[in-house]
């Protein structure tokens, strides 16, 4: 046959068609500070409309029972940032340093090649004594990472910058000065002050001034400023074509007090727009010593007054509205840059604000306005398509976010360290996935006036909340527990903690706390597979319980040979 | 009057009489490895005479209810060396690294100007991954301290040096070689081998060989060697006239297995000298899954045989007798050097050894032969004169030693970190001093065959013992508890864990574990006085809950002024 002896013409080896390199997946984790779960329209607020956050919820899952591990900034955030319960990381109150050597989400992400970046607040206080003891220079890269709770601080701003040593002279002050908004303390003079009728400064620290506009123009106020800083970071990161994936924690310092907001947000809402206080006379007359003592805190007595609620809550709503407007700008930017398809967006808070509900202000106990948060996860991957726009009533904890993010980046969820659970099964709509039956939150009131009023030891000033699908119990060291039936009493007005008819529920929920308290939580130096590899055998050369050579030979360990 | 105008003759200013500088107070902390509480004559052993340890008891207090925090070397020692419960330090099993950043007694002592020196065993495994993460060079002074559990290792020897990677080539091997006792592995060939009738080597790993003398001559065997190393250290330290106080932890590696001892100790005791096994048929037939599974371990089946007990226990007794003889030499040296008057001497163990009692070997559960230790504290100061030669039945824990030592050196007992209690009130004979009502011990059997036999998760392989003045309860995750009445059943032969008549005792003791489990144990970065200073007030410049200037002025916080 003709040509049979001919070699086939040489062809170049097959090459895959040229494709652009796969672009990295990112995470944008937005946190609002002291935002109640129910002050967004997607969570049912009747008069406050938050269309941008609502649209995020339509793209992801809205978690309807998300609880923080402490209703206080510092410990709640340390739980978010470590994926660990407060009793595990040990930073039980604002300003209690996170011990050096406590592993953070940022540490885990760095090992996965992800850049964990902070824009805004963490409330982290470094363990400088621990660093000194271990010879770690706070100015070194490792020292900075420890001091910033694992994050790379693109911009750190914890939000409160009064005169004095608290958190002086942030970059934001320099920014204000650059805009001509100067003074000895630009934050106090512009962001935290209004003007009186005679041009005098009115302090944002004072609740009576909450209906006045802050002196700072909207565009230079904190929420737009941090939003722009976030956009700056994203644009810079995306410009570096070789850059790997990032996580940006945009951590707004609002709607946390001081309750003051610039125009036009200061009078967008009025007393007619606020929800009535959720509180009952039986609560006022409660015999629970801890609850009574907290009611007596100054801020709680203030928020028990209607004039305070009517002056403050509209400003609180304005601050939230401003965040929603800014998120509209941020989301539009992500869309314009083509980042929406490869960025998981999380919206959360660190805890709520009583705002006068239950005769309380601030966030010292575990009613829903305090311990429950808005929590939305919009995962762009097809695996989450089935759940877009849905709500989940699974019991979610703040510590679940860290393993969810590790999971998203393809990492191990590190169950020997990280105590939360990846939300991936819930995002994928796996309805039969096993899930926790109890959520836990803790509160250390050692530094609070309540502890001093009750005259108890620092070590005993502890509360632990446990809740399940229906019941919520608060264990109070040295006192009777509090108990609420969220089904028959969703407003938590009827404390059944001393009701003889509910002994069985209390016993069951206390047993759940006991089970939780017994679990490992400091055994963090070995992974489960390392422990498995040690199981059922002794190290090479070690023989235990053998009578003679024959026994050892029969067991295959004789003669002893080095490995 | 004559001479009235004269000045009095000038005298030199008064000076105190010249005294030698006050000599520092020291601590000698002797630990035997795997020594049962009842194998000393001062604790009532009928045939084993330990006159030197008995004399120490006459000079101090003999604690008759001292419990270790885990009946296993590693976790028990980490509790001794940190003053913290196992659930706090997290090193729950042998070879589980102690996390970097876990504060040790050695760290605290160094801050007090005390030199904490090790001669012998710690069972410490460093957290090399943690050190790498924090940028700590393991070869640096800080790295060494971390790797050696806070001690300065004058001589580290963990006792087991088989062929293979376990703990190869210790200084002791070089010492043996220097004595002409050489070979590829001098420890195996001399310290851990006997000779057969035909000159063949008989391994100390095999229980049948326990009645033979180890090939190593007594003077070159491990206990005399470590004793001399301790004397070397003391002599060197005392030669330095400017030296400050020291703590020397003389941590013998015996009478831990391999059960083999050189002449003349190998046949000092025979089967006629051993105590009968404490065990009952009801135990053999126990329905408790954890107890049954441990009974089935090889070493437990071995020690259930009388021939094993009769061959092994005399060697175990010989090893103890050798320690007592060596302590006679050591104490005579201290006396000759005048150190007895300024050295607190502590004698302890890290846990016991079942030796066939309760059908068990080793130390996997919480019967007295396993979890209870001999514990003697001889404090030379006059404050302890009232209690010399007495016994105390206070519930003492291994973690009490660290704060006792801190207290002795005049340091704070650091209750935010150290969970034990200083024994000072007991040493002073303060009979009304408040004391703990419950002792706690823990056991993580994740790596044991029992866990695999029961088919349970690593996280659930947990036991917690609690005992009070009369009762001992063992909580077993996923199983019923065990319960013993030490008053009516001091031998712990009758497990009342399922007895309906003892529900109240079980409930009370489980509640004690629950109370313990709720306590703070990771809140270690702030001292109580620092927390007190934060209590009842906000940081400067922070105003919460004030309506107007008048309110703030009335509270003394207006105008806001920087501190």
């Amino acid at each position: 046959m003709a040509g049979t002896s001919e070699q086939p013409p040489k062809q170049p080896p097959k090459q895959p068609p040229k494709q652009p390199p796969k672009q990295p997946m990112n995470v944008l984790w937005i946190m609002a500070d002291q935002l109640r779960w129910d002050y967004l329209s997607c969570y049912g607020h009747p008069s406050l409309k938050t269309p941008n956050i609502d649209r995020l919820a339509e793209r992801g899952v809205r978690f309807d029972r998300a609880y923080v591990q402490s209703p206080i900034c510092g410990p709640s955030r340390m739980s978010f940032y470590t994926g660990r319960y407060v009793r595990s990381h040990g930073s039980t109150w604002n300003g209690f340093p996170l011990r050096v050597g406590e592993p953070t989400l940022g540490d885990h992400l760095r090992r996965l090649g992800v850049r964990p970046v902070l824009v805004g607040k963490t409330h982290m206080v470094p363990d400088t004594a621990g660093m000194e003891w271990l010879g770690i220079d706070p100015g070194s890269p490792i020292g900075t990472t420890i001091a910033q709770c694992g994050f790379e601080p693109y911009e750190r701003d914890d939000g409160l910058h009064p005169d004095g040593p608290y958190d002086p002279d942030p970059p934001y002050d320099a920014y204000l000065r650059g805009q001509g908004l100067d003074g000895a303390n630009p934050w106090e003079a512009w962001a935290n002050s209004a003007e009186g009728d005679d041009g005098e400064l009115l302090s944002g620290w004072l609740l009576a001034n909450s209906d006045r506009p802050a002196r700072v123009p909207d565009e230079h106020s904190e929420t737009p400023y941090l939003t722009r800083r976030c956009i700056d970071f994203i644009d810079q990161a995306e410009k570096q074509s070789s850059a790997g994936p990032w996580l940006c924690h945009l951590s707004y310092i609002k709607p946390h007090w001081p309750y003051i907001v610039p125009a036009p947000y200061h009078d967008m809402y009025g007393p007619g727009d606020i929800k009535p206080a959720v509180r009952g006379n039986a609560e006022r007359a409660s015999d629970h010593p801890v609850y009574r003592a907290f009611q007596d805190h100054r801020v709680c007595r203030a928020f028990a007054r209607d004039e305070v609620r009517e002056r403050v809550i509209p400003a609180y709503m304005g601050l939230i509205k401003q965040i929603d407007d800014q998120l509209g700008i941020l989301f539009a930017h992500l869309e314009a840059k083509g980042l929406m398809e490869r960025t998981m967006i999380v919206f959360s808070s660190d805890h709520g604000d009583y705002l006068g509900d239950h005769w309380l202000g601030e966030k010292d106990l575990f009613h829903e306005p305090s311990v429950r948060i808005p929590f939305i996860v919009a995962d762009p991957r097809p695996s989450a398509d089935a759940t877009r726009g849905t709500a989940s009533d699974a019991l979610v904890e703040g510590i679940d976010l860290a393993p969810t993010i590790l999971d998203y980046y393809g990492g191990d969820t590190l169950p020997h360290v990280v105590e939360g659970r990846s939300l991936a099964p819930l995002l994928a709509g796996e309805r039969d996935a096993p899930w926790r039956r109890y959520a836990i939150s803790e509160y250390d009131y050692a530094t609070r006036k309540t502890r001093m009023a009750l005259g108890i030891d620092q070590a005993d000033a502890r509360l632990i909340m446990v809740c399940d699908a229906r019941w919520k119990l608060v264990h109070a060291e040295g006192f009777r527990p509090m108990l609420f039936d969220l089904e028959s009493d969703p407003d938590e007005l009827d404390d059944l903690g001393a009701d003889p008819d509910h002994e069985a529920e209390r016993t069951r929920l206390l047993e759940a706390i006991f089970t939780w308290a017994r679990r490992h939580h400091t055994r963090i130096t070995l992974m489960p597979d390392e422990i498995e590899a040690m199981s059922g055998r002794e190290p090479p050369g070690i023989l235990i319980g053998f009578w003679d050579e024959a026994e050892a030979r029969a067991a295959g360990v004789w003669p002893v040979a080095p490995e």
Side-chain angles (χ1 to χ4, degrees), chain A residues 324-372:
Chain A
D324 188 73
D325 285 348
Q326 288 296 313
L327 289 180
I329 293 168
L330 177 59
F331 295 159
H333 187 82
L334 293 176
E335 257 160 38
K337 296 274 178 178
L339 283 165
M340 274 294 188
E341 292 71 36
R342 55 186 181 93
T343 303
M344 181 163 84
I345 302 179
V346 179
F347 182 85
S348 70
S349 172
D350 61 346
H351 55 75
D353 189 326
Y354 274 106
L355 297 174
D357 288 352
H358 308 287
W359 308 100
L360 297 169
E362 283 276 69
K363 58 266 173 164
D364 296 291
L365 284 167
F366 298 97
H367 298 90
E368 300 279 278
S370 176
V371 73
R372 182 169 156 194

Side-chain angles (χ1 to χ4, degrees), chain A residues 395 421 435-439 466-469 508-509:
Chain A
L395 281 171
R421 298 172 178 222
W435 199 251
R436 72 167 59 83
R437 291 161 52 216
Y438 301 99
V466 59
C467 68
D468 67 7
R508 181 178 62 79
L509 291 161

Side-chain angles (χ1 to χ4, degrees), chain A residues 40-43 50-59 324:
Chain A
L40 299 173
S41 38
C42 58
Y43 279 95
T50 50
N52 295 297
I53 297 170
D54 295 0
R55 268 199 294 278
L56 183 72
E58 283 160 23
R59 296 182 49 241
D324 188 73

Side-chain angles (χ1 to χ4, degrees), chain A residues 430-450:
Chain A
E430 295 173 16
R431 294 226 151 249
D432 297 332
W435 199 251
R436 72 167 59 83
R437 291 161 52 216
Y438 301 99
I440 297 273
S441 191
E442 298 169 84
Y443 188 94
D444 173 5
Y445 62 97
T447 67
R448 299 296 87 194
K449 283 198 171 130
T450 288

Side-chain angles (χ1 to χ4, degrees), chain A residues 193-224:
Chain A
S193 288
E195 254 172 50
D197 298 337
D198 301 322
E200 75 279 18
L201 292 198
L202 299 175
S203 172
W205 291 113
L206 302 173
L207 304 175
N209 299 330
S210 293
D211 61 345
R212 305 262 181 165
R215 292 177 75 214
V216 67
D218 171 39
E219 65 174 311
H220 300 313
S221 65
E222 291 135 300
T223 295

